[in-house]
């Protein structure tokens, strides 16, 4: 006899099938770019549970320097995150940390970031900005204020030091309309942000 409850996504410990089918891997080129940027320090792997992220080490700044960390969860293909990085490039205190669970999104953003780094220009809307744009660029290496990470943001919460975030931006927070336990905006996760 078949158990109808076994197929109910609300009762399974794993993500719903439609989500697993949609969450494909990044292409070979994207995975290669992610690995290259990881070795350069632009893509960050989540540390083991309990190990706190040292923002100064991650962004290669002076120890104990006060930073304004903006964390964007679910950055998709990185349009907003890359634009913010460009907009605040001359502000040495402002740093951006993006987290995306969808590997192709991380791969696309990584490719854009790498092309900008290779050309020493910021990426925007499928074109590279000229060296001097409407944003004041004073001795700015592109994307020195940006780090990316893949994976589940809820799992990353245990590695974020308390009261270290200046801003948290959550994009498309509810891809699971019926499976509430997978939602990022819940009382216990909101308490962890602050």
């Amino acid at each position: 006899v078949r158990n109808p409850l076994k197929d109910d996504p609300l009762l399974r410990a794993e993500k719903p099938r439609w989500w697993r089918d949609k969450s494909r891997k990044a292409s070979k080129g994207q995975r290669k770019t992610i690995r290259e940027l990881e070795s350069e320090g632009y893509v960050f792997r989540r540390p083991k549970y309990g190990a706190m992220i040292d923002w100064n080490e991650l962004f290669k700044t002076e120890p104990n320097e006060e930073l304004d960390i903006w964390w964007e969860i679910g950055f998709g293909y990185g349009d907003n995150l890359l634009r913010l990085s460009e907009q605040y490039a001359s502000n040495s205190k402002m740093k951006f940390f993006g987290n995306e669970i969808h590997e192709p999104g991380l791969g696309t953003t990584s490719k854009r970031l790498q092309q900008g780094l290779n050309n020493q220009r910021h990426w925007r809307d499928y074109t590279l900005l000229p060296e001097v744009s409407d944003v004041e660029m004073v001795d700015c290496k592109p994307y020195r204020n940006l780090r990316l990470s893949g994976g589940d943001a809820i799992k990353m919460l245990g590695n974020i030091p308390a009261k270290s975030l200046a801003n948290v931006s959550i994009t498309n927070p509810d891809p699971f309309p019926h499976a509430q336990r997978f939602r990022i905006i819940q009382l216990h996760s909101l308490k962890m942000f602050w």
Side-chain angles (χ1 to χ4, degrees):
V1 177
R2 186 170 172 247
N3 182 355
L5 297 177
K6 184 179 180 183
D7 296 328
D8 187 347
L10 289 172
L11 301 175
R12 291 188 305 196
E14 57 193 34
K15 303 273 194 239
R17 181 178 177 164
W18 65 267
W19 175 257
R20 291 191 319 263
D21 292 345
K22 185 179 179 182
S23 298
R24 65 191 194 283
K25 286 185 175 181
S27 69
K28 286 182 183 180
Q30 289 174 332
R31 290 194 306 266
K32 179 183 176 202
T33 303
I34 291 170
R35 283 191 306 273
E36 289 171 0
L37 289 177
E38 185 178 350
S39 68
E40 295 175 28
Y42 287 96
V43 175
F44 174 73
R45 295 236 183 237
R46 183 174 64 88
K48 292 182 181 178
Y49 183 78
M52 292 297 162
I53 297 172
D54 181 352
W55 296 117
N56 294 58
E57 183 181 322
L58 183 65
F59 286 101
K60 298 178 174 96
T61 60
E62 294 295 320
N64 300 321
E65 182 179 337
E66 191 174 322
L67 302 174
D68 287 336
I69 307 294
W70 287 31
W71 186 19
E72 183 169 347
I73 299 171
F75 59 76
Y77 293 121
D79 295 329
N80 182 55
L81 196 59
L82 294 173
R83 181 69 178 128
L84 284 170
S85 175
E86 172 207 348
Q87 185 176 352
Y88 294 100
S90 60
N91 185 340
S92 63
K93 196 176 170 187
M94 189 90 65
K95 306 295 180 187
F96 299 94
F97 182 69
N99 190 240
E100 176 59 49
I101 195 168
H102 190 58
E103 194 178 25
L106 176 63
T108 298
T109 305
S110 297
K111 286 192 98 46
R112 290 176 175 181
L113 191 147
Q114 186 180 53
Q115 187 171 0
L117 289 170
N118 291 343
N119 293 305
Q120 291 295 305
R121 297 180 183 169
H122 286 87
W123 174 276
R124 182 175 63 187
D125 297 329
Y126 306 105
T127 60
L128 293 172
L129 293 172
E131 263 184 59
V132 179
S133 67
D134 56 338
V135 179
E136 186 180 335
M137 300 288 202
V138 182
D139 191 30
C140 290
K141 179 181 176 187
Y143 307 121
R144 69 169 189 224
N145 62 348
L146 175 64
R147 299 296 180 268
L148 305 175
S149 181
D152 195 343
I154 291 292
K155 293 178 182 176
M156 184 74 78
L157 275 173
N159 304 106
I160 305 284
K163 300 184 183 194
S164 67
L165 300 172
N167 186 340
V168 177
S169 172
I170 302 173
T171 311
N172 298 323
D174 190 11
F176 306 105
H178 302 293
Q180 292 183 6
R181 69 179 177 277
F182 297 127
R183 293 180 182 173
I184 191 168
I185 298 180
Q186 297 184 36
L187 189 57
H188 73 276
S189 59
L190 290 175
K191 287 179 181 177
M192 292 178 75
F193 284 121
W194 312 115

